Amino acid sequence: MGPPLAQDSEQTAFSAKVGNDSHALRNYGFWARENSGRKGILPYYRRLLEGARKAILRMNEAPASKDGRHIDLDALRKKALVDERYGREYISNSIRSSRHTAWNFLPRQLFAQFSKLANFYFLCISILQLIPTLSTTGTFTTIAPLMFFVGISMAKEGYEDLRRHRLDKADNNRQTSVLRADSSPTDSSDSTANAQSWTAIRWHEVSVGDIVRLKRDDATPADLILLRASGPNGTAYIETMALDGETNLKGKQAAPALAKACASMDGLLRTSAHLIVEDPNADLYSFEGKVTTSGETQPLTTNEVVYRGSVLRNTAEAIGVVIYTGEECKIRMNATKNPRIKAPSLQGRVNRIVIVIVLFVLALAVFNTVAYLIWADDTEKGSWYLENARVPVFPVLASFVIMFNTLIPLSLYVSLEIVKLAQIFLMNDIDMYDEASDTPMEARTSTINEELGQVSYIFSDKTGTLTNNSMRFRKLSVAGTSWLHNFDILRDEAEHDNPEKLDRKKRIGKIPARTSTSQTSLHENSRRSDVALERGQMLHETSEILSPTSPRKTPGRQSRLQPELTTTELLEYLQRKPETEFAGMVRFFILCMALCHTCLPETRDDGELTYQAASPDELALVQSARELGYVVVDRQAETITLKTFPAGPDGEAVFSVYEILDVIEFSSQRKRMSVIVRFPDHRIYVISKGADSTITELLKSSRLALEKASQVERRASKRKSMEAKQMLRNSMQIRRKSSEKGPSVTLARASIGALDRRSMTAEDLQPIRHQVDAWLSNREHEADVSLADDNSEYFQPRASAHFGFRRSFAASDRRSLTPGAVADALVDEGLSADEGFVFDRCFQHINEFATEGLRTLMYAYRTLDEQEYAAWRKVYHGATTSLVDRQEQIERAGAMLEKDLELAGATAIEDKLQDGVPETIDKLRRANIKMWMLTGDKRETAINIGRSCRLIKDYSVVTVLDHEEGDIGRHVAAAVVDINSGDVAHSVVVVDGQTLAVIEDDEVLKSVFVDLAILVDSVICCRASPSQKAQLVRTIRKKVSGSVTLAIGDGANDIAMIQEAHVGIGITGKEGLQAARTSDYSIAQFRFLLKLLLVHGRWNYVRTCKYTLSTFWKEMVFYLTQALYQRWAGYTGTSLYESWSLSMFNSLFTSLPVIFIGVFEKDLLASTLLAVPELYTKGQRGAAFNFKVYLWWIFMGSCEAMVIFFVMLGLYGQTIFTQDNGLYAMGVLTYTACVVLIATKILLIEMHNKSIVALLGVVLSVGGWFLWNLVLSALYKNNVVYNVRDGLLKRFGENALWWLVLILVVTACVVFEIGVASLQSAWFPTDADIFQEYEHDAGLRRRFEEAAASELRQGRDRGEAATQAEDDDGGDDDEAGKAASSTQSVREKEIQDLLYRPRVMEGGRPSD
């Protein structure tokens, strides 16, 4: 095992070990192994505990078989197959995602409930109370409510798990078709002469060896080996989004021998094949097996396997044989078995506090017992009336323990459950409601509400979580020009024509909101395209929104200005100048897009044309070709039919048939695909598309192209280096200004100490407004360090600077021209034939596209003569029919043809992010939350999305770890050294699943990798299996001390990490509701995470902390008076309070104040918390509840208890001339002072969000106590020990001294509280104090609301002060204006005084 990985001292030690070169990794390895050898006895007991846990939960690892699983293919089998590992039938196909079963629910829940130390403590007290003669407070007064409260908590957990059981049952009862012998046919078309048929059965009835039939859009019930498929060349297109998150369909084919033997139903019935497959395991990306048919043995790989959770797409039918069922399926092997019961980290701190209180109770009991023994020797022996009354030591000690046990209130956790349930109700926020899907935020647990305010790591899925599962064709580069494809933008603008649209147009850098569908409709797109071409006003609108001189930001580059022409204007240009060389190049490029693909057009019943595609990228390309005038209307086995409009959209359509001679499909090795097409004029073209690095090497002028690409890369590298240096300088300036201006306010990354307080005067608050505005602007554009000057030597010429783009061509000039004239002014026909210039511009465009997070493809082509094609066709045919190294031979044959290509152009596809994802990630980063992206997609896709969502910045140092490129440890150590040197502005690590598996096999390397992962700003893990995702979450959760992890995803492949993290968030996305059902909280959009964490999470954290502190404080105030009274009761255990009143203290008279502050407290407004995400660090630092804060509250409570008791005793209890100063009167006076003080402090002093609720809590608590006393005074019968009857009504209630002392006591305590709070605010203000003062100013509140406008749709959360300020600012009444000016001056003076004071941590410790 590696060293502990907490964050500070451990990282320093690691840095010291690493040194300044990569060879230091060896030293670190020795150090890590040496430390791992010092295990001690603790790991031994941990292993014993883990072994016991596995035994109890039956988590036994399955033994390995001798040589794999043997399965005979037999359609007529009657008996179930036997698992040779166990000697019994294979496990059933039922699955269970619930946390408990009927037999383990009780032990697991009892363990969970009594792991709360308070519950365990009360269990021990209950046992003592059950012993006769020990308890002075009754026998069942503790155990009965304890069992009731524990039962309620267990019932809640049981109900939540029951819902999961019902979902599992629904999944297990889904139906599928299985081939059964001698059964009634369900589909006459499939019946055979032997009366064999397909029978519909439930999923849980499927067993190993069954032959299953899937039809289009059917989900796979178990892991299958494919026998045959009805797709082209026997291919079945499989969607694996639920397993790995990939949106591309995967082509699966049966083994040639199996496909041939099972081609018909008769063949399927007669075939006798023997399959040998590997034992069940969690590896999604490799598979080993073989099949023997008619004496011929062929290998089985992932190409022939279809896993459970996959869906058959674009294929009419597929048939397979089951090899794994139920919990042995790959998707279930990657799931978390026996998920842990989640408990908030705050509970651990409370448990430690409880231990302290237990020790205090024991010490108090021992002290009173010893005091009793001393008193007994001194007083009891000489008192004749106490003869034979002596009590043994143990009963005395036990009675004191029982008396003081309520310093830990029994209702601590129960009232907390009430608080958390109410918090969930208040979390139903309209700002987290998704109108498009009609989905609100839903909380599935209330246990971990406060964890939402303490998150430090977020682990996010990509597909469906950050992205919309929708690809949009966004840009194209052709003949040296770049064009923005705006058809979907215009369409979505029209569909979302509302006030928000106007607001988006006004804000620089916002792309209009767009909708997406999984299967794109093109009928409407065509109609919109025609409208765009026919109506000049839409062109003018396009020119206004996306003009060459108007700035447009992209998600990936926050600050780049992109003056670009649009494809709408490109089409208009082609119509005006159809015969130019540039127009010919553009049309041929669009034609290449329309031909180089494998999409199948389909016409629905309503006449709407749609496409079925193996990947969403191809769908986007074909759709964009249609929008640009090249419509794929039909595709047969060897032809594609296109519909074009040469004469314009109003002209006659022309249909052209292109013969598809061959298709060389894409592979991960080739990184390209090609089609060989015979045009209508009988010319033969090879059209290739693929990665730019691959296509560039295949160009005819590859040397020139590589030189231009290298120049572009050098310029981009220099620019990024300068931006990184600028970012470092900015950060240093912020830190320097913070140190100069005063102590930090402890906010992460951006210190508010940078605000200039000395510039303010009492006469004018405007300077502080400017300072706050400048500070917010600086934080909002923290990454805006781009070198925006096109003339910079480090900045490549603008990608969209179309040839002779004139600087003097201003926006006003453009608006005065027609759209066609704009394109004429920006397109230079003469340069389109300059190959070097076109190469340079194309690579510039590709570089920018990639930086923006777009997925780029390069198109190239060349012509063939008939003889060359015929010769090549023979080689290719031989390769496709080869049974040995078929794929390698196909790749070699393709390389023979894919050479000497001509550049056609490049495309850029946007994997459309959900609305607000980049902005959300930026604010989460400001909140000191590290973001990890864990996805099953390939590396290039993951990096592109990382750029578009701003996980990777322009100036980021990206470290790619790949096990195929050499020593992983050397790369890891070098990255750590670079980061520790302080020269890296922003660092990102990219690692794939296979490399991660290599790392996990080496404990030392794993420790170093985790150290690196903690140091960097972001981690992107691609090709990760669900179990690897969960392992990464588990590693950070255990290694990073004090961290709270959050996992968010939307698919079944995300369930494992959602269950493993402290907080699991499910997205109700297109991958289904599997993740949402098993999550702790579910939302519809990733952007809602911002308000869920920064606002509701922080509120809940502050509320829970204040509830807990208030509860401990009030117990100390109340029960310490009991201990103080023992001095005057001979330490006999006599209670100062009447027993019924004592038992009702927590449940009736002081429960509302702590519950109200736990439910309704809002220390800061939502707009402030969203505008200043740095305030979120309060929860990460545990500033609202820690041992120091607890001690301070207990100190205050102890002081107030002594004030209450001794003032009561001195001014009332020991007075001689008074009507009634007996035990009951003193007790009621003390009790009343405590109740009034508790309600006043909690609801009127501590609670910032004061409302009618606070006043109601005070009235109900104090009024209820007095009502209780009136009832007791009138009805009390057992008037022996305490003289209760008529006490308040006729004796001390009529005594003015009693009331005067009560007022004096309460006043003294309240003044003490206010004085201490004033001193703290005056000399040691916290972050919350500063911003609470800011919120009183209307101008600053408006600025906060503007900064949070995108997250707060339902209006501004201004209170009366802000509204009054607005009225004062805008009123015409002179007197009102003078009054407002006077009030404002007072506020300015208060804020000025506040800002001159030093500041402290939230926990009360002064900052250095």
Side-chain angles (χ1 to χ4, degrees), residues 207-228:
S207 58
V208 173
D210 282 348
I211 298 175
V212 176
R213 180 182 66 178
L214 302 176
K215 291 195 172 182
R216 183 170 177 168
D217 297 330
D218 279 353
T220 308
D223 290 355
L224 311 174
I225 291 292
L226 200 61
L227 299 178
R228 78 177 191 207

Side-chain angles (χ1 to χ4, degrees), residues 234-251:
T235 302
Y237 292 100
I238 305 297
E239 177 187 283
T240 61
M241 189 183 299
L243 282 87
D244 53 24
E246 286 197 60
T247 54
N248 291 352
L249 301 183
K250 295 180 175 62

Side-chain angles (χ1 to χ4, degrees), residues 1088-1120:
F1088 297 157
L1089 190 64
L1090 200 61
K1091 193 168 188 185
L1092 183 64
L1093 297 185
L1094 268 58
V1095 178
H1096 293 286
R1098 190 183 182 282
W1099 280 346
N1100 289 338
Y1101 170 72
V1102 171
R1103 291 163 176 168
T1104 305
C1105 291
K1106 285 194 173 184
Y1107 162 83
T1108 307
L1109 290 169
S1110 299
T1111 300
F1112 286 135
W1113 169 81
K1114 72 182 180 69
E1115 301 302 318
M1116 180 59 68
V1117 169
F1118 185 72
Y1119 287 101
L1120 190 57

Side-chain angles (χ1 to χ4, degrees), residues 885-932:
D885 298 331
R886 179 189 302 175
Q887 188 60 37
E888 289 78 3
Q889 293 190 40
I890 290 175
E891 291 178 3
R892 286 196 294 269
M896 294 171 58
L897 206 62
E898 298 162 335
K899 61 182 181 180
D900 298 331
L901 303 177
E902 299 288 341
L903 177 63
T907 60
I909 296 174
E910 176 189 3
D911 191 351
K912 187 176 182 298
L913 297 175
Q914 293 186 9
D915 291 340
V917 167
E919 294 80 8
T920 299
I921 291 177
D922 281 345
K923 286 197 172 183
L924 291 174
R925 182 183 293 112
R926 289 175 55 192
N928 198 32
I929 298 176
K930 289 191 175 184
M931 179 94 172
W932 290 30

Side-chain angles (χ1 to χ4, degrees), residues 619-638:
L619 179 64
L621 290 168
V622 175
Q623 174 191 344
S624 62
R626 174 195 171 117
E627 293 171 340
L628 296 174
Y630 287 74
V631 185
V632 180
V633 294
D634 183 53
R635 181 167 191 147
Q636 300 300 323
E638 297 180 350

